[in-house]
Amino acid sequence: MSISKEKNFLGLTDEEVSKSRESNGSNKIIEAEPETFWDKFKDAFGDPMIKLLLAIAGIMLVMAFMGYAEFGELIGIAISVLLVTGISAKTEIASDNEYRKLKDSTKKDVCKVYRNSKVVEIEVDELVVGDMVILQSGDKIPADGYLYKGDLRVDNSALNGEAEECKKFEVEDALSFEEVAITAEITGDTFVDKHSLFRGAVIFNGEGIMKVTKVGMSTMMGKMAEDMADDEVDSPLKVKLTKLAEQISMFGYIGSVVIALALLFHKVLVAGGFSEYLSIGGILIFKDVLEAIMLAVVIVVMAVPEGLPLMIAIVLMRNTSKMLQSNVLVRKPIGIETAGSLNILFSDKTGTITKGELEVVEFFDGNLEDTYKEGLKVKEMMKLAIGKNTGAMFDNNGKVIGGNATDKALLNFLSKEEMEKLEDVVVEKSQGFNSTNKYSASQLEGKTVYKGAPERLLAKATKMLDKDGNVVEINKYKVNTKIDELATRAMRVLSFAYSESALIEDTLPEDLVIIGFVGIRDDVRPEAKKAIEEVQNAGVQVVMITGDRKETAVAISKEAGLLKSGNDIALTSEELNKMSDEEVKAIIPNLRVIARALPTDKSRMVKLAQELNLVCGMTGDGVNDAPALKRADVGFAMGSGTDVAKEAGSIVILDDNFKSIESAILYGRTIYNNILKFIKFQLTINVAAVAVCAIAPFLGIEEPLKITHILWINLVMDGLGALALGAEPALKKYMLEKPKSRNQNLVSKNMMSQVLFSGAWVTALSFTFLKLPVFVNMFGTEAQHMTAYFSLFVLCAVFNGFNVRSEGVNIFEYISENKGFTKVMSIIVIVQVLLTFVGGKLFSCTPFGLQQWLVILGLGVTIIPVDLFRKAVINLKHR
């Protein structure tokens, strides 16, 4: 009798359900509460650049109260801090909301349960302790319990990574079993046996009734969800930004002190010596000291790239939406950039590198020929042997449902139309597959068809069908050689046969005739194979982790392009755990496969890789993967995986495809390169601003750039620059670059040469414009002259934006793929022109004429040929 029609189970009443829920809790897995905007906003103040800005604001506040700084300058810094923290918080909240929205749109899991003497379908969250749940092939186990009645084959991989079928049998004495389980829990023993069932596992085959003993956070899945308290490691970008902030701070602090002291020393020299200087009076000396301190503060403000955190926030926000189009949902924006810095990626096999389902990948007859062709008798007999000897079926939409994974794979070998033509063929008698006989059979009118292990059917058969439908002798040696060869390619081979005799249970007939053989495998995704090659070319080491046996894992990894040379290493979990941490670290560079993997292996490998200073990625879909996903620098959770895994991951791969991981790496590298472009863009101006403001007092020029000017340049102009450079296209050439190490400087020698060279040019151009009489006399007033210099400085930055787009001499390279770049740069120029008219006292601006605008425009554009000259010299050296 079908379990679903069993009459002896009354189930719980509504009253019993309420009492059980009150005593034992609900079946919900409690997830971490989503952080609010305010939480994210507060966290953003931990950014090293923000801390530096706040320190400057504190100094400015003191100076403002003393009357030596403007409160407007302090307000400018406050606005910059609020902009950065606000956009950062909004980006993270938007990413999290996108994930929650996707999750809420997903239909909730349901299960069939006995309630009030009836079988009803309820949401999994509504289950309580004591419920009797009907389980059938393909169902996901909704709670912890034991098999009260039936016979099941279970896939526990979501919990323990073990991919093979686990046999479960009904209990003989339910009361005794529950007593033993309770005792084990009290004593702290792990109680896992042939009757126990755990939430998250999937039924491979069979049907049964489970009695629920634990729900919600009391289940094994619930406890594993709680076991993720380890602090997340800092992202490589955060490490590098912290280092950059420290370097800039040191440069700013030391530089400001040295320059302030130099200014005081200059005043002493001008006065004729220390004694003469001291004689001018305490008030004037105090004023000079405050002037030097103010200059020091200005230097620090100019040294700090205030726009950098804003740029990163904007770039990450823009790219999270782009990634969705590539089936990549970014839960934590910093995960995008981290993906681009990966040195090593530990990837699951099933569903990521492989398709995640069994399929027939090869057919051959006894002569090793493919005779599965229309019109041949072999094909007609195969249709019967598959279609009338299976537990699977097509639904109305043409999808295969029911049966075990093998039945589904075989039925997919047929078409729905072919199955419909067999509807009139009646199965008179059948025998199911069992582990003893290793075959199944169906008696039809006039013949019986068989499906089973090749060694079982070949042991009895002496005949086969040839391509013309004739019954001929079979060469078993040739067939077995072929089967052995397919086994090395991780294929499971099934044989099919027929007999003219009636079916006798557990007995194979003497007239058995072989129809053919099929090779079944969870095949490598074609696009994954190419994606793995692309990722490897990008310098990322890919290590496949699987619960499969070593032979299968090695075969799949060879086909996927992971195992290529004799130096490449494949290990089992057992072999791995016999090695010390230091021994494992020594072989990590050559490691390609970990077979029979346990959940603890993943966390251990992440830890050891990070100890080697590698930026580490991990894929996963099960509850057991969550700790490793959280520990990794970037965790890729699979879209089809458990909610616990998705909560732990930084990025969700919606289609479970390795190709999408490649896209995430490409986007990560694009973001990293765009950040570098922006750093060059801003640091060039910062270096020039520091140099100009440091030297100007010694040349008798008072405040050529005010703090409000610097804040305007670093925030408003650079904010727009961030939009322009942040939209630079993802280029395939980025995948040929070497990964960036965790402690590698953001600013390379080549970058620094460009920053210093261009900064030196802007500095020289500045003093030429400020001191040369031809430029000084061009303007009617000093206010116009200084406003024009402020505009010249901005124009230099705008034209330098074209320089930083490319390492080559073609500054318009790929500009058609970033049409917004020229628009944004044009907007900056327009805004600057308007500012000279409306900036007034706050920005110390006075309008000037068109002729003067043409002059500073011509001077500003000179930064382009100057940098082209630098690039040409560098390119000649590298030839």
Side-chain angles (χ1 to χ4, degrees):
M1 179 182 289
S2 171
I3 289 289
S4 60
K5 296 178 182 177
E6 177 66 55
K7 303 291 186 181
N8 295 328
F9 295 99
L10 301 177
L12 300 178
T13 64
D14 291 339
E15 184 181 352
E16 288 170 330
V17 168
S18 297
K19 286 182 179 178
S20 180
R21 186 172 287 121
E22 188 176 331
S23 301
N24 305 291
S26 75
N27 197 36
K28 289 183 179 178
I29 298 293
I30 300 170
E31 299 168 357
E33 285 292 321
E35 287 189 277
T36 63
F37 177 84
W38 178 243
D39 293 328
K40 301 284 187 185
F41 183 75
K42 288 187 293 183
D43 289 344
F45 282 88
D47 184 281
M49 290 290 180
I50 297 297
K51 289 179 180 177
L52 200 52
L53 276 175
L54 291 174
I56 291 169
I59 297 171
M60 293 292 295
L61 181 62
V62 174
M63 298 290 288
F65 275 114
M66 295 177 66
Y68 291 97
E70 297 288 339
F71 278 102
E73 295 169 341
L74 180 63
I75 292 170
I77 294 177
I79 290 172
S80 71
V81 169
L82 292 174
L83 271 174
V84 172
T85 50
I87 290 177
S88 297
K90 185 179 183 301
T91 303
E92 292 212 34
I93 286 292
S95 299
D96 197 57
N97 286 344
E98 199 69 46
Y99 165 69
R100 305 282 171 191
K101 195 188 303 178
L102 177 75
K103 188 175 167 186
D104 291 341
S105 66
T106 306
K107 188 178 178 183
K108 295 208 171 188
D109 289 340
V110 295
C111 62
K112 295 182 286 292
V113 62
Y114 289 96
R115 290 272 180 91
N116 300 307
S117 306
K118 295 179 183 176
V119 175
V120 294
E121 192 172 69
I122 63 172
E123 288 186 1
V124 165
D125 288 352
E126 298 300 315
L127 274 178
V128 296
V129 170
D131 266 326
M132 291 290 193
V133 181
I134 297 171
L135 296 175
Q136 295 172 305
S137 182
D139 287 347
K140 188 183 288 186
I141 297 174
D144 285 4
Y146 61 89
L147 187 57
Y148 190 87
K149 185 177 181 63
D151 182 49
L152 299 174
R153 300 294 179 269
V154 176
D155 171 10
N156 282 320
S157 58
L159 292 165
N160 61 14
E162 188 61 57
E164 292 187 351
E165 294 184 9
C166 181
K167 298 177 183 179
K168 298 293 180 181
F169 305 96
E170 66 180 59
V171 296
E172 295 177 4
D173 185 338
L175 287 176
S176 298
F177 177 83
E178 289 185 24
E179 286 175 4
V180 172
I182 290 169
T183 302
E185 186 172 349
I186 292 171
T187 58
D189 293 336
T190 301
F191 184 66
V192 179
D193 70 355
K194 62 183 180 180
H195 309 300
S196 300
L197 300 169
F198 300 97
R199 180 171 184 163
V202 177
I203 307 302
F204 261 134
N205 199 12
E207 59 178 350
I209 295 174
M210 177 186 82
K211 184 170 182 181
V212 176
T213 57
K214 291 182 182 178
V215 292
M217 300 306 289
S218 297
T219 62
M220 183 181 288
M221 177 182 278
K223 289 175 181 175
M224 293 175 80
E226 287 179 327
D227 188 27
M228 297 196 312
D230 289 343
D231 292 334
E232 295 179 37
V233 295
D234 285 342
S235 72
L237 181 61
K238 187 173 181 180
V239 171
K240 291 168 187 174
L241 285 174
T242 301
K243 189 173 182 179
L244 180 62
E246 290 171 352
Q247 291 170 337
I248 290 173
S249 302
M250 191 61 64
F251 167 74
Y253 296 148
I254 294 175
S256 62
V257 171
V258 170
I259 291 167
L261 291 175
L263 179 60
L264 287 173
F265 184 66
H266 175 69
K267 290 182 180 292
V268 170
L269 290 178
V270 170
F274 279 106
S275 58
E276 287 78 3
Y277 180 70
L278 292 173
S279 67
I280 66 174
I283 294 176
L284 291 176
I285 292 173
F286 180 67
K287 186 178 178 182
D288 286 346
V289 171
L290 285 177
E291 184 184 339
I293 292 172
M294 189 62 198
L295 176 62
V297 172
V298 171
I299 296 297
V300 172
V301 172
M302 291 175 177
V304 176
E306 291 93 341
L308 184 56
L310 177 62
M311 185 272 177
I312 292 169
I314 289 172
V315 169
L316 292 177
M317 182 172 66
R318 286 175 64 92
N319 281 276
T320 50
S321 56
K322 284 184 184 179
M323 300 287 283
L324 266 177
Q325 299 169 13
S326 299
N327 292 309
V328 178
L329 173 63
V330 181
R331 290 211 57 236
K332 300 170 187 175
I334 204 71
I336 315 175
E337 183 280 328
T338 310
S341 301
L342 287 180
N343 301 113
I344 187 168
L345 172 65
F346 295 100
S347 174
D348 281 340
K349 173 187 75 73
T350 306
T352 306
I353 293 175
T354 62
K355 295 176 181 177
E357 59 182 26
L358 294 176
E359 65 176 339
V360 175
V361 294
E362 189 161 341
F363 170 84
F364 59 96
D365 65 10
N367 286 323
L368 311 189
E369 296 179 18
D370 181 0
T371 53
Y372 190 76
K373 296 172 182 174
E374 207 62 52
L376 296 181
K377 187 174 181 181
V378 171
K379 181 169 185 178
E380 297 307 311
M381 293 299 292
M382 276 294 290
K383 288 178 186 177
L384 290 172
I386 292 174
K388 307 310 292 186
N389 186 11
T390 181
M393 67 183 72
F394 285 99
D395 65 10
N396 293 332
N397 298 318
K399 182 182 176 182
V400 177
I401 59 173
N404 58 28
T406 302
D407 281 344
K408 288 178 180 177
L410 291 171
L411 202 58
N412 271 317
F413 191 50
L414 305 183
S415 66
K416 185 180 180 184
E417 291 73 25
E418 287 174 327
M419 276 296 290
E420 287 173 347
K421 291 177 182 178
L422 300 177
E423 285 181 356
D424 294 336
V425 179
V426 178
V427 177
E428 299 173 349
K429 187 179 179 183
S430 65
Q431 175 185 306
F433 180 92
N434 62 62
S435 56
T436 303
N437 289 333
K438 294 186 179 179
Y439 72 87
S440 62
S442 292
Q443 181 178 310
L444 315 175
E445 186 179 356
K447 65 177 68 67
T448 302
V449 289
Y450 295 84
K451 170 185 70 184
E455 67 273 16
R456 189 74 177 91
L457 299 188
L458 281 172
K460 197 71 174 176
T462 58
K463 306 288 185 180
M464 56 165 271
L465 279 181
D466 67 11
K467 64 179 180 180
D468 298 317
N470 301 314
V471 177
V472 298
E473 295 290 326
I474 187 169
N475 185 333
K476 294 184 182 182
Y477 175 78
K478 186 164 67 171
V479 171
N480 283 321
T481 301
K482 172 72 172 179
I483 291 171
D484 291 341
E485 184 264 322
L486 293 180
T488 64
R489 291 168 53 196
M491 283 194 203
R492 178 188 173 196
V493 178
L494 284 175
S495 58
F496 298 85
Y498 78 95
S499 166
E500 303 290 348
S501 306
L503 173 61
I504 302 175
E505 195 167 339
D506 295 335
T507 303
L508 286 170
E510 298 295 329
D511 61 342
L512 200 62
V513 178
I514 295 293
I515 304 169
F517 305 85
V518 295
I520 297 177
R521 187 177 70 176
D522 180 10
D523 211 17
V524 175
R525 290 178 183 257
E527 67 275 22
K529 186 175 180 179
K530 188 174 187 309
I532 287 171
E533 184 180 4
E534 294 278 351
V535 170
Q536 289 173 328
N537 290 339
V540 182
Q541 178 184 345
V542 182
V543 181
M544 186 178 81
I545 298 183
T546 176
D548 287 337
R549 60 194 182 98
K550 188 174 182 179
E551 294 78 7
T552 302
V554 166
I556 291 291
S557 60
K558 283 181 179 177
E559 189 163 336
L562 293 172
L563 279 173
K564 295 179 180 178
S565 72
N567 294 326
D568 294 338
I569 297 173
L571 295 175
T572 63
S573 173
E574 185 180 357
E575 291 169 332
L576 193 69
N577 287 308
K578 287 179 180 177
M579 303 169 69
S580 68
D581 285 354
E582 293 307 313
E583 288 173 328
V584 174
K585 285 181 188 177
I587 65 158
I588 278 180
N590 293 55
L591 188 62
R592 298 294 180 269
V593 178
I594 300 175
R596 292 294 192 198
L598 299 173
T600 50
D601 294 329
K602 291 188 173 186
S603 295
R604 183 189 183 200
M605 294 311 299
V606 169
K607 173 177 167 287
L608 296 181
Q610 289 173 337
E611 286 177 6
L612 289 173
N613 212 29
L614 299 175
V615 180
C616 179
M618 172 66 72
T619 73
D621 56 4
V623 180
N624 61 297
D625 297 328
L629 287 171
K630 189 171 184 180
R631 171 75 193 182
D633 293 293
V634 55
F636 296 97
M638 297 299 111
S640 64
T642 62
D643 289 341
V644 176
K646 292 174 194 173
E647 288 285 339
S650 310
I651 292 174
V652 179
I653 304 298
L654 298 178
D655 60 354
D656 294 10
N657 198 333
F658 196 94
K659 174 67 179 171
S660 298
I661 297 176
E662 181 208 356
S663 298
I665 293 173
L666 173 59
Y667 269 98
R669 293 193 170 192
T670 301
I671 288 169
Y672 188 87
N673 277 280
N674 290 350
I675 289 172
L676 294 186
K677 290 174 184 178
F678 181 79
I679 289 174
K680 288 187 286 185
F681 176 71
Q682 190 174 49
L683 284 188
T684 298
I685 298 308
N686 285 28
V687 166
V690 168
V692 168
C693 291
I695 298 170
F698 300 96
L699 299 179
I701 303 171
E702 186 179 345
E703 288 192 283
L705 290 170
K706 298 187 179 299
I707 289 180
T708 48
H709 292 165
I710 295 301
L711 290 173
W712 173 264
I713 292 168
N714 278 357
L715 291 170
V716 180
M717 190 193 78
D718 287 350
L720 291 171
L723 289 173
L725 292 169
E728 287 288 281
L731 306 177
K732 279 293 184 182
K733 68 178 183 179
Y734 294 152
M735 293 298 281
L736 299 177
E737 297 173 356
K738 290 183 178 179
K740 309 297 187 293
S741 68
R742 185 186 301 278
N743 57 358
Q744 182 174 333
N745 288 330
L746 273 172
V747 182
S748 65
K749 289 182 180 179
N750 188 41
M751 278 179 64
M752 186 53 70
S753 73
Q754 182 172 5
V755 167
L756 294 177
F757 191 84
S758 299
W761 175 254
V762 174
T763 302
L765 190 64
S766 296
F767 288 116
T768 300
F769 184 80
L770 289 169
K771 297 297 289 184
L772 211 62
V774 65
F775 295 117
V776 174
N777 298 330
M778 188 181 293
F779 297 89
T781 66
E782 184 184 355
Q784 286 181 322
H785 183 217
M786 297 309 292
T787 302
Y789 171 66
F790 172 36
S791 299
L792 171 61
F793 201 86
V794 170
L795 289 175
C796 286
V798 168
F799 291 120
N800 191 50
F802 288 88
N803 288 333
V804 302
R805 289 189 65 254
S806 170
E807 294 292 332
V809 294
N810 182 8
I811 61 173
F812 298 107
E813 186 180 24
Y814 303 109
I815 203 162
S816 61
E817 296 181 45
N818 185 9
K819 295 176 181 177
F821 182 84
T822 50
K823 291 179 183 177
V824 170
M825 291 301 172
S826 300
I827 289 171
I828 292 174
V829 174
I830 293 169
V831 169
Q832 183 61 31
V833 172
L834 292 175
L835 190 65
T836 61
F837 287 95
V838 300
K841 187 177 179 182
L842 179 62
F843 286 95
S844 305
C845 286
T846 304
F848 52 91
L850 177 62
Q851 184 179 352
Q852 289 93 335
W853 269 109
L854 292 175
V855 170
I856 63 171
L857 190 67
L859 290 173
V861 81
T862 59
I863 196 170
I864 290 179
V866 166
D867 193 62
L868 289 178
F869 171 75
R870 180 195 66 84
K871 288 177 180 176
V873 171
I874 288 175
N875 289 340
L876 281 174
K877 284 182 179 180
H878 289 165
R879 281 183 181 177

